[in-house]
Amino acid sequence: MIYWDHNATTAPAPAVVQAMTQALTTLWGNPSSPHAAGEAAKRALVAARATTADVLGCKPSEVVFTSGATEANHLALRGLLGAAPPSRQRVLLSAVEHAGHLKMARALAESGVAVDVIPVHPDGSLDLNAAADLLGPDVAVVSLMAANNETGVLMPVCDLAELSHRAGALLHVDATQLVGKLPFDFATLGADAVSLSAHKFHGPKGVGALLLRQGVPLQAQTQGSQERARRGGTENLPGIVGLAAALTQLGDVATQAQHTRALREALEARWLAALPSTHIWARHTPRLPGTTCLRVGTLQAEVVLQRLGRLGVAAASGAACSSGGSQPSHVLSAMGVPAEEALAAVRLSLGPSNTLTEVEQVLNHLPELLRSVLADADQAPPLTPQPAGARLPASA
Ligand code: PMP
């Protein structure tokens, strides 16, 4: 398999599997128990927290382990808002946040909280002027992803931190796609809270963290004494040990990013040469090194993915799929992309283990596999958006 879907998930590193296997077999005690098994588990938890803090540039006490980024995002938004004074009860978040995060913000709005959405420019970058206009003395928390999972576009976290703090608001950053792909340092980022998820950097699924700057008040969303009463519930020790092992084995992220970026550039150049009707979104905007979001004319994404699949490539579409239906991606829609183009979006997300040979292998064969559908598409009517729950036409 040629794995070009690193933004969806990554394979657990061998060191992660080993550390987790050991934790599952020998560290099954409850870290809160006052006996030998509990103390051994507690020691492993303390060590994993110290490693996590060391690699990510924060204090051990600033790490709150969670079940992943979704929970960390929820904890941040609800928790920071819940701890804010009554005079500050407004929330801002970007239009291109992760779908689960936007859904939660919608739930907050439905419960009566004032939630405002910061728009993005046509290239997917944040409209900082709009953010500045929306900020005011009633804003409790601003939430922004560090890098977009669909387009890879990097967001101006430091600038927004400055703007938010000037207005007296806190900044939460969803760094789920950034950690492991580009250098990350909590101490210099400027954010008050940061979410991450281990399976995006070769750790296990179902574990992540919220990094919370010391002294920032947070209302727990699950009650219990664990995680300094900020996230109740018996700790997922094998997962936490796996997360720390994944961070330890990351290596030189900056050098890996250079390799991945060069590969992505080679892929984009060859793809454009082989399939000239291709459009690449945010091509000239700072992006994650391995992410490319493109369309081949307005060929529906499933057609391209099916042909890529025949060549052994695992990739993703940009559309949100639900029960057989397909909706244009909210990210591309927020960038002003028409639905018929957004439904053609294919996301390729490369990682450091990918090679130029793979790129050449795929692009030597893909144009031939798409030739007949591209010829048909010249005469075919443009693709129209499918209602949720409706069937997509069978792939050509
Ligand atoms: N935020 C971003 C930017 C993501 O890409 C993802 C995963 N696709 C999440 C949050 C959610 O992560 P998890 O499913 O691991 O909780």
Side-chain angles (χ1 to χ4, degrees):
M1 176 177 57
I2 297 175
Y3 191 72
W4 288 352
D5 203 11
H6 288 80
N7 289 10
T9 197
T10 56
V16 168
V17 176
Q18 199 182 1
M20 290 183 74
T21 306
Q22 205 214 342
L24 278 164
T25 47
T26 65
L27 297 168
W28 46 264
N30 186 325
S32 301
S33 297
H35 49 60
E39 280 158 14
K42 178 79 182 276
R43 276 196 300 278
L45 180 61
V46 169
R49 195 185 303 282
T51 302
T52 302
D54 186 42
V55 177
L56 297 174
C58 61
K59 299 185 180 77
S61 59
E62 293 177 320
V63 178
V64 182
F65 289 116
T66 65
S67 65
T70 304
E71 186 196 335
N73 284 347
H74 284 220
L75 177 58
L77 208 55
R78 285 192 188 274
L80 295 174
L81 182 67
S87 59
R88 278 191 186 272
Q89 285 295 309
R90 196 153 69 90
V91 166
L92 304 185
L93 82 173
S94 93
V96 295
E97 293 307 300
H98 194 252
H101 201 38
L102 283 169
K103 209 165 175 182
M104 199 261 301
R106 221 166 284 134
L108 277 179
E110 277 161 19
S111 72
V113 175
V115 178
D116 286 305
V117 175
I118 309 170
V120 293
H121 295 296
D123 70 350
S125 61
L126 192 79
D127 185 340
L128 265 175
N129 289 334
D133 289 346
L134 285 165
L135 272 161
D138 55 346
V139 175
V141 45
V142 182
S143 194
L144 176 69
M145 58 188 6
N148 186 267
N149 45 307
E150 293 183 30
T151 59
V153 168
L154 298 173
M155 296 296 180
V157 169
C158 294
D159 293 341
L160 192 62
E162 208 178 305
L163 281 176
S164 303
H165 292 159
R166 214 181 295 151
L170 296 168
L171 179 69
H172 162 250
V173 169
D174 177 357
T176 307
Q177 291 294 343
L178 190 90
V179 174
K181 298 191 182 94
L182 282 172
F184 173 90
D185 181 44
F186 181 68
T188 52
L189 191 68
D192 301 287
V194 170
S195 304
L196 52 112
S197 194
H199 71 101
K200 305 289 186 181
F201 49 87
H202 301 284
K205 291 165 186 60
V207 64
L210 182 70
L211 310 182
L212 185 69
R213 193 164 55 74
Q214 191 169 327
V216 173
L218 182 85
Q219 184 189 68
Q221 302 299 303
T222 47
Q223 305 306 319
S225 57
Q226 294 88 353
E227 300 299 302
R228 295 175 177 241
R230 294 169 297 188
R231 196 268 187 182
T234 304
E235 300 87 346
N236 169 11
L237 193 67
I240 291 168
V241 165
L243 182 151
L247 287 173
T248 307
Q249 63 79 50
L250 271 180
D252 182 353
V253 173
T255 304
Q256 290 163 15
Q258 270 175 20
H259 163 83
T260 311
R261 188 177 294 109
L263 206 56
R264 197 256 323 265
E265 279 166 12
L267 180 142
E268 290 185 345
R270 278 159 213 239
W271 189 297
L272 285 167
L275 295 159
S277 62
T278 297
H279 174 78
I280 299 170
W281 281 289
R283 187 160 185 229
H284 303 293
T285 302
R287 282 178 291 162
L288 286 173
T291 307
T292 184
C293 184
L294 54 79
R295 62 178 168 82
V296 182
T298 50
L299 270 190
Q300 62 186 82
E302 283 69 16
V303 174
V304 180
L305 289 175
Q306 198 264 350
R307 301 310 192 274
L308 283 169
R310 277 201 227 161
L311 297 171
V313 176
S317 81
C321 297
S322 60
S323 47
S326 196
Q327 291 290 307
S329 133
H330 71 278
V331 174
L332 294 175
S333 299
M335 290 159 62
V337 175
E340 66 166 306
E341 292 179 8
L343 285 169
V346 170
R347 179 189 71 186
L348 309 171
S349 46
L350 280 56
S353 61
N354 291 126
T355 63
L356 191 57
T357 311
E358 292 171 339
V359 169
E360 282 166 352
Q361 200 176 311
V362 172
L363 286 161
N364 283 344
H365 295 102
L366 188 62
E368 181 56 34
L369 289 181
L370 285 172
R371 190 187 303 278
S372 62
V373 275
L374 278 171
D376 288 351
D378 281 344
Q379 289 113 46
L383 193 65
T384 49
Q386 303 294 309
R391 289 267 135 176
L392 276 175
S395 307

